[in-house]
């Protein structure tokens, strides 16, 4: 069995949930495990993500790597157009790994004119490629942004050049975006039919932008594959995904209906954004669900720290921290110790940050906030792939324990229905 670079520490749960509590929920974990592995639970047709780390064809990986290489050779900027699961995983990866080289910007993530104009302004004088991502092609935010950016690209490049500079990631068989790609001769990558958007980070949806940015997608998939092996056993001690899922549901039953994912490194900000969508869309149904919130520490200890420490006791916390930063800075000496900081002289910021994390965990536990801690070895693609699969497996088990389908999102359509009526879509459908 491979050695994981992700560790889960549940030590600060002991005052709130016991070994007996874990034993009591084991039969439900077992049932959720069977529904998932046998693919007999609700949403069983959307379990392709389980196979991605091991079964992504090498030919597809090579095609993605070749396309990514061409993007880097011909362009200075890649515009990724997509919303929700079509962009959050890639943005999380870019912030986490922070590769050097090609600039990647995101459009179609909102309907704000200023944001889109800022994107366009940033393209001036630079060669550009575009990756538009949508299974249907009908989601308004990316579809509208693509119209604008496609118009911009047509003014800059010939039809022949556009066929290489615009890449569509979409459904293999149907949808508006596929029709556009076929009609205009754009390059295409396909989203597997059995993978929902929020689970698509290890499909071409996430792999192409990450590869274009310089991230080693083979290492990303290897990390996911090793985590898949480590999280295959029906054992709450060895299987950290299952232990995390079980702990969440036990705390939920004790009235803790808000989870705060607290990252102690700014590079975790968009990973937490990806996590929020993954858990909110998977669990928030039928009047049930743990509300996923997030913050970046120590920054947010100076804003919402008071609420966490002494507010309503309806929340629990999961800390995340990178154990080994890419770089280190040590606190230098100062003449006469005029600022009184000689007690940290010569110490690295990562050491100080870790002591802040340990102190915060204890303070919040003493304040009545149960907490767990996820330790991430480093900022490598391998560690990130492990983390992606850890959370995907955990949310599937957690949602099945809760009694909801982890793989649909019927409530997302409510605002769209009202918006389309207000915009008069009935009369303008393609």
């Amino acid at each position: 069995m491979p050695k994981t670079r992700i560790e889960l520490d549940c030590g600060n749960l002991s005052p709130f949930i016991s070994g007996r509590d874990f034993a009591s929920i084991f039969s439900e974990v077992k049932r959720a495990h069977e529904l998932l592995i046998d693919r007999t639970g609700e949403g069983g047709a959307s379990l392709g993500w389980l196979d991605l780390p091991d079964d992504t064809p090498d030919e597809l990986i090579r095609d993605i790597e070749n396309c990514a290489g061409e993007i880097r050779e011909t362009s200075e900027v890649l515009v990724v157009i997509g919303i929700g699961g079509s962009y959050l995983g890639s943005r999380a990866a870019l912030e986490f790994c922070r590769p050097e080289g090609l600039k990647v910007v995101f459009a179609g993530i909102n309907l704000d004119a200023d944001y889109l104009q800022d994107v366009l302004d940033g393209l001036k004088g630079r060669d550009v490629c575009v990756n538009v991502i949508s299974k249907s092609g009908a989601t308004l935010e990316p579809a509208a942004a693509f119209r604008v950016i496609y118009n911009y690209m047509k003014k800059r490049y010939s039809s022949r050049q556009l066929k290489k500079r615009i890449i569509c990631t979409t459904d293999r068989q149907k949808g508006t975006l596929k029709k556009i790609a076929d009609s205009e001769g754009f390059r295409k990558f396909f989203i597997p039919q059995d993978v929902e958007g929020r689970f698509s980070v290890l499909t071409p949806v996430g792999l192409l932008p990450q590869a274009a940015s310089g991230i080693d997608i083979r290492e990303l998939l290897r990390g996911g594959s090793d985590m898949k092996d480590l999280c295959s056993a029906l054992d709450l001690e060895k299987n950290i995904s299952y232990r995390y899922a079980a702990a969440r549901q036990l705390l939920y039953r004790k009235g803790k209906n808000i989870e705060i994912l607290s990252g102690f490194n700014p590079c975790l900000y968009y990973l937490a954004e990806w996590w929020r969508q993954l858990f909110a869309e998977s669990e928030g149904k039928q009047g049930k669900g743990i509300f996923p919130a997030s913050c970046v520490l120590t920054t947010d200890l100076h804003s919402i720290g008071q609420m966490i420490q002494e507010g309503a006791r309806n929340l629990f916390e999961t800390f995340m921290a990178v154990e080994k930063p890419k770089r280190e800075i040590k606190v230098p000496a100062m003449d006469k110790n005029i600022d009184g900081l000689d007690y940290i002289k010569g110490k690295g910021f990562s050491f100080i940050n870790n002591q802040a994390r340990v102190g915060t965990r204890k303070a919040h536990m003493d304040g009545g906030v149960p907490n767990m801690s996820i330790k991430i070895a480093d900022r490598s693609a391998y560690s990130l792939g492990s983390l992606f699969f850890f959370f995907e497996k955990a949310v599937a088990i957690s949602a099945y324990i809760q009694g909801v389908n982890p793989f649909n999102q019927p409530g997302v359509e409510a605002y769209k229905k009202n918006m389309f009526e207000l915009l008069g879509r009935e009369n303008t459908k393609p």
Side-chain angles (χ1 to χ4, degrees), residues 386-428:
S386 299
L387 199 59
F388 279 145
F389 195 86
F390 163 79
F391 279 128
E392 289 176 343
K393 190 76 177 288
V395 78
I397 293 296
S398 183
Y400 275 146
I401 293 171
Q402 187 179 277
V404 299
N405 180 351
F407 308 112
N408 66 354
Q409 52 280 343
V412 173
E413 300 304 315
Y415 93 90
K416 293 181 182 179
K417 179 177 180 294
N418 292 340
M419 176 180 67
F420 288 139
E421 286 179 359
L422 290 166
L423 291 171
R425 181 177 171 177
E426 300 89 352
N427 301 319
T428 59

Side-chain angles (χ1 to χ4, degrees), residues 215-416:
I215 292 172
D216 187 339
I217 60 172
R218 291 179 186 269
E219 278 295 285
L220 188 83
L221 289 166
R222 189 171 72 86
S225 178
D226 285 353
M227 181 56 70
K228 178 182 176 180
D229 290 343
L230 288 160
C231 291
S232 61
L234 185 56
D235 186 323
L236 290 182
E237 290 297 324
K238 296 178 180 178
N239 190 327
I240 58 174
S241 277
Y242 286 15
R243 189 166 183 83
Y244 174 58
R248 297 178 74 255
Q249 289 300 319
L250 286 169
L251 292 165
Y252 181 43
R253 293 171 188 184
K254 293 178 182 288
K256 309 296 186 181
N257 59 3
I258 298 172
E259 178 178 11
I260 302 176
L261 190 67
S262 295
F264 261 84
N265 310 86
C267 68
L268 298 170
Y269 177 84
Y270 274 101
L271 184 67
E273 293 289 292
W274 172 84
W275 169 88
R276 285 199 307 151
Q277 185 204 4
L278 181 69
F279 279 76
E281 283 196 348
S282 298
E283 292 187 328
K285 297 154 196 173
Q286 302 173 22
K288 304 175 184 178
I290 300 165
F291 186 87
S294 61
C295 61
V296 175
L297 305 180
T298 61
T299 303
D300 287 337
L301 292 176
H302 299 266
S303 57
I304 62 171
Q306 173 64 36
M307 173 64 76
I308 297 172
Q309 189 69 43
E310 294 185 342
R313 301 296 77 184
N314 62 339
L315 55 88
F316 66 97
E317 200 166 10
T318 301
F319 292 98
M320 282 197 304
V322 176
E323 297 286 287
K324 184 180 179 181
K326 286 189 170 185
R327 293 151 295 183
E328 182 59 283
I329 296 177
K330 292 186 177 181
V331 177
M334 178 176 278
D335 291 345
K336 299 180 182 179
N337 189 29
I338 195 167
D339 58 1
L341 289 180
D342 266 4
Y343 69 95
I344 56 171
K345 181 179 69 175
K347 292 183 171 67
F349 268 71
S350 59
F351 172 80
I352 299 168
N353 195 38
N354 184 62
Q355 298 310 108
R357 175 167 60 95
V358 173
T360 303
R361 286 190 68 195
K362 185 178 186 305
H364 290 182
M365 181 182 71
D366 292 345
V369 180
N371 58 74
M372 299 174 273
S373 187
I374 297 170
K375 300 176 184 178
I376 307 159
D378 52 35
R379 292 176 64 180
S380 65
Y382 178 91
S383 291
L384 181 61
S386 299
L387 199 59
F388 279 145
F389 195 86
F390 163 79
F391 279 128
E392 289 176 343
K393 190 76 177 288
V395 78
I397 293 296
S398 183
Y400 275 146
I401 293 171
Q402 187 179 277
V404 299
N405 180 351
F407 308 112
N408 66 354
Q409 52 280 343
V412 173
E413 300 304 315
Y415 93 90
K416 293 181 182 179

Side-chain angles (χ1 to χ4, degrees), residues 134-144 175-177 416 419-420 425 430:
S134 177
K135 203 169 216 180
S136 68
T139 304
L140 185 60
E141 292 91 340
T176 302
L177 184 55
K416 293 181 182 179
M419 176 180 67
F420 288 139
R425 181 177 171 177

Side-chain angles (χ1 to χ4, degrees), residues 39-187:
R39 308 192 184 211
T40 54
E42 285 189 284
S46 298
L47 289 174
W49 58 272
L50 276 172
D51 305 317
L52 292 171
D54 297 329
D55 294 347
T56 299
D58 193 64
E59 182 181 1
L60 174 60
I61 297 172
R62 286 198 305 271
D63 287 346
I64 291 171
E65 289 173 332
N66 289 338
C67 183
E70 290 177 26
I71 292 170
R72 289 195 300 272
E73 287 174 7
T74 61
S75 300
E76 299 158 271
V77 182
L78 172 65
V79 182
V80 176
I81 303 174
I83 196 167
S86 294
Y87 96 98
L88 279 170
S90 293
R91 192 154 194 178
L94 294 174
E95 291 294 323
F96 183 86
C97 297
R98 195 56 71 91
E100 297 180 1
L102 181 78
K103 182 177 179 61
V104 180
V105 298
F106 296 89
I109 65 174
N110 54 48
L111 291 168
D112 182 69
D114 285 338
Y115 179 93
L116 185 56
Q117 188 60 56
D118 287 343
V119 170
L120 292 170
D121 290 345
L123 304 181
K124 292 177 181 177
R126 296 176 170 183
D127 274 318
V128 181
C129 278
V130 176
N131 179 204
V132 55
I133 305 168
S134 177
K135 203 169 216 180
S136 68
T139 304
L140 185 60
E141 292 91 340
F146 181 52
R147 267 206 181 194
V148 172
I149 290 172
Y150 183 29
N151 186 61
Y152 168 84
M153 294 290 284
K154 285 197 295 183
K155 292 176 180 177
R156 287 193 57 182
Y157 299 104
S158 69
S159 297
R160 183 179 177 183
Q161 289 176 307
L162 288 177
K163 290 177 181 179
K164 291 188 175 182
R165 290 188 176 274
I166 296 180
I167 304 106
C168 299
T169 305
T170 189
D171 190 271
R172 182 181 293 274
Q173 298 176 337
K174 62 183 187 301
T176 302
L177 184 55
K178 182 180 183 300
K179 290 179 182 178
I180 294 171
D182 289 343
S183 172
E184 302 300 319
F186 298 147
R187 291 167 137 181

